[in-house]
Amino acid sequence: MKDINSLITYKNIYFIGIGGVSMSGIAHTLKHFGFNVSGSDATDSNTIQSLISSGISVYIGHNPENVKNSDLVVYTAAISKEDPELVMAHSLNIPTMERAVFLGLLTKCFEDTITISGTHGKTTTTSMVSLCFLKADLNPSIQVGAYLKNISGNYTVGNSDYFILEACEYVESFLHFFPKSAIVLNIDNDHLDYFKNIDNIQNAFSKYVKLLPSDGLLVLNCDDNRCLSLKNSTKAEVITYGINNTNADFIAKNIVFDDNGFPEFDVYNKREFYCHIKLSVTGEHNVLNALACISMCSYYGIDSKIIQSALLEFTGANRRMEFKGKFNNNVSVFDDYAHHPTEINATALALENKKFNKSWAVFQPHTYSRTKNLLEDFAKVLLNFDNVIITDIYAAREKNIYDISSKDLADKISSLGGNVKYISDFKDIASYLKENVNDNDVVLTIGAGTVTEIGGMLIN
């Protein structure tokens, strides 16, 4: 590492919301480097237990007394300004820092931070790149936005100057980072509660790629015109990839799918055959994610055979079209984090390549603002499933000031001719499915909230 000592002013660091996927990874990393780490969260979880087992003190509930001996308090964007621990820190003049700002300081400690961003596919592509670097014995440090089976968690601390990091665009948090290389996967209409329109999103990504140094690298999706236009906003070297745009540097050709919906394809680099890839994750969108990974890893000198092997071993990050098990003898249950129409459409297209009878999509909308702004788009993509169950909106950080409900979405799907039911209670959803599915049907629980619990109710 270049300069972990730049953080040494803050020997005792306290995290409010330490159980979050990013916060917990940062906390583990700092503990590894000898900092005194503690924190709080609203509820217990497997993540909390993992933190405790590594020697980090975690308090359930927010008690202002907990922060008194801290040199720095780090908090997530979801923490209220009235939070008692945050208020106490301010009253004692203890420095406070939002998570993304602190993570930016951490990226500055590495010579070579590699960030993966885009509206969709960040977690999967970060995972793919991470596994290639690990398999090439490059010993990276990693922060990924989901549990990754291959590293038994959402982070790992390496002994090199490589830091591979998922970079989120929400509230422009990625502008706090110091990347050497970056991937931008796509630019789409999302987080409109913050960005208001697509032009503001595009502008945020333009500012993001300007952070790259002239000796850095930018990998861009050539099939996404908004993405491709970013090449005009950077002095870094640019490598492009795509399926449809034959001017891309890395192209996938001869794509075929097996009965599980897993693709295999030939990769060409500047029109020369590069390698043959087989994936263990579904969908054409993952062909694009794999091309982004290949573009980045080839630049770093990773052998194509190592990339081939790592991508074949990758079976997906947690909650990304994740197979959960079967019930009623032969009904398969998959769980997917998709919470935007583009992501749901990718899931539906991936499903088309599998062999099954009928599909049942259980969708939990995520945030009132997104549901209101993209209602028609959600309704249209959910028509791709044979049967749809809509459950209540997962509010996340929001209050319902948008005059919207899940019933509105169910009514819209129905008006478009979809076979849809609105069911609020998860137990009622599980019971309804058990009574109505047939042999070889597929059930998908879809959304970024608590809908994932239904899979367990069905299987157990």
Side-chain angles (χ1 to χ4, degrees):
M1 282 188 82
K2 184 170 69 172
D3 191 18
I4 194 68
N5 291 329
S6 63
L7 295 175
I8 216 71
T9 321
Y10 312 117
K11 190 63 183 167
N12 302 294
I13 304 178
Y14 190 89
F15 289 83
I16 307 176
I18 198 169
V21 68
S22 175
M23 291 281 269
S24 59
I26 299 167
H28 278 294
T29 302
L30 291 172
K31 175 72 177 173
H32 174 88
F33 286 117
F35 290 84
N36 296 325
V37 181
S38 58
S40 63
D41 212 281
T43 54
D44 197 359
S45 65
N46 290 337
T47 305
I48 296 294
Q49 290 306 312
S50 169
L51 289 161
I52 292 169
S53 67
S54 68
I56 294 171
S57 297
V58 181
Y59 307 94
I60 302 304
H62 295 205
N63 182 344
E65 295 297 311
N66 297 336
V67 303
K68 284 187 170 178
N69 297 317
S70 307
D71 301 317
L72 175 71
V73 172
V74 181
Y75 60 95
T76 69
I79 298 298
S80 158
K81 288 176 182 171
E82 286 77 46
D83 180 90
E85 293 177 335
L86 201 55
V87 170
M88 175 63 84
H90 290 149
S91 73
L92 296 174
N93 293 318
I94 297 168
T96 63
M97 203 175 287
E98 201 275 322
R99 175 203 65 88
V101 178
F102 183 79
L103 188 52
L105 292 183
L106 194 56
T107 65
K108 217 173 177 181
C109 296
F110 290 82
E111 286 280 2
D112 205 326
T113 292
I114 299 164
T115 55
I116 292 89
S117 70
T119 317
H120 320 293
K122 291 184 288 289
T123 298
T124 294
T125 310
T126 306
S127 302
M128 287 176 168
V129 172
S130 297
L131 292 187
C132 290
F133 271 69
L134 288 168
K135 206 164 185 65
D137 294 325
L138 293 176
N139 296 304
S141 294
I142 296 162
Q143 295 257 332
V144 62
Y147 182 92
L148 181 58
K149 288 187 279 282
N150 308 71
I151 59 173
S152 302
N154 61 314
Y155 82 100
T156 189
V157 182
N159 59 8
S160 74
D161 273 315
Y162 297 121
F163 185 21
I164 301 169
L165 174 69
E166 183 172 333
C168 183
E169 75 278 9
Y170 183 57
V171 299
E172 298 179 288
S173 60
F174 59 4
L175 298 185
H176 296 291
F177 300 165
F178 294 85
K180 177 76 176 287
S181 299
I183 294 172
V184 181
L185 298 161
N186 38 61
I187 299 174
D188 201 355
N189 245 332
D190 198 14
H191 301 303
L192 294 176
D193 56 320
Y194 174 78
F195 285 113
K196 309 305 178 196
N197 59 56
I198 188 70
D199 291 334
N200 290 335
I201 300 171
Q202 177 83 31
N203 189 42
F205 276 96
S206 293
K207 289 188 279 186
Y208 166 65
V209 302
K210 281 186 171 80
L211 299 174
L212 292 165
S214 57
D215 62 343
L217 173 71
L218 177 59
V219 174
L220 293 175
N221 178 358
C222 222
D223 289 352
D224 183 312
N225 288 330
R226 288 189 177 276
C227 221
L228 190 55
S229 71
L230 294 176
K231 69 180 188 294
N232 302 317
S233 299
T234 185
K235 292 188 170 73
E237 181 179 341
V238 175
I239 296 176
T240 58
Y241 67 91
I243 296 172
N244 301 318
N245 189 333
T246 53
N247 293 319
D249 296 314
F250 283 87
I251 298 172
K253 293 183 178 180
N254 309 318
I255 304 169
V256 293
F257 296 87
D258 67 14
D259 288 352
N260 290 312
F262 298 158
E264 59 180 295
F265 51 95
D266 295 322
V267 179
Y268 284 78
N269 178 21
K270 299 189 186 299
R271 295 181 169 78
E272 298 265 323
F273 178 78
Y274 180 75
C275 68
H276 183 79
I277 294 289
K278 180 158 174 46
L279 300 180
S280 302
V281 288
T282 58
E284 190 169 278
H285 63 292
N286 276 320
V287 175
L288 279 168
N289 291 337
L291 285 173
C293 167
I294 293 162
S295 302
M296 179 64 77
C297 293
S298 70
Y299 174 85
Y300 278 91
I302 299 176
D303 187 84
S304 62
K305 287 188 170 56
I306 291 174
I307 297 172
Q308 272 178 316
S309 175
L311 289 176
L312 182 60
E313 284 178 22
F314 175 62
T315 57
N318 187 41
R319 301 214 57 213
R320 272 63 179 179
M321 197 66 171
E322 181 184 6
F323 176 66
K324 304 300 287 186
K326 296 193 175 190
F327 72 103
N328 284 22
N329 296 324
N330 207 29
V331 178
S332 297
V333 180
F334 293 87
D335 184 41
D336 198 271
Y337 190 74
H339 53 287
H340 183 282
T342 302
E343 294 164 355
I344 295 169
N345 191 53
T347 299
L349 290 171
L351 192 65
E352 283 180 9
N353 297 307
K354 287 182 175 289
K355 288 195 172 175
F356 63 95
N357 181 30
K358 297 281 187 186
S359 59
W360 298 76
V362 183
F363 178 54
Q364 180 186 45
H366 189 263
T367 72
Y368 300 108
S369 59
R370 187 182 283 118
T371 310
K372 177 82 169 182
N373 286 319
L374 302 174
L375 185 77
E376 185 118 0
D377 294 335
F378 276 122
K380 285 176 179 172
V381 296
L382 287 164
L383 292 174
N384 289 318
F385 302 97
D386 299 309
N387 307 278
V388 181
I389 297 170
I390 304 293
T391 192
D392 292 327
I393 295 169
Y394 185 79
R397 55 190 172 266
E398 293 183 343
K399 290 185 168 61
N400 191 5
I401 59 171
Y402 299 91
D403 188 29
I404 190 75
S405 74
S406 286
K407 187 80 169 58
D408 296 325
L409 178 56
D411 289 344
K412 175 60 77 173
I413 295 167
S414 182
S415 74
L416 296 173
N419 186 14
V420 62
K421 279 194 171 295
Y422 162 70
I423 305 175
S424 175
D425 187 86
F426 285 4
K427 287 179 184 173
D428 293 342
I429 292 172
S431 298
Y432 179 81
L433 286 167
K434 284 179 179 177
E435 289 166 14
N436 288 280
V437 295
N438 291 306
D439 215 29
N440 291 317
D441 280 358
V442 168
V443 172
L444 297 99
T445 54
I446 303 172
T450 51
V451 69
T452 182
E453 296 168 9
I454 294 170
M457 294 178 183
L458 291 168
I459 295 155
N460 299 327

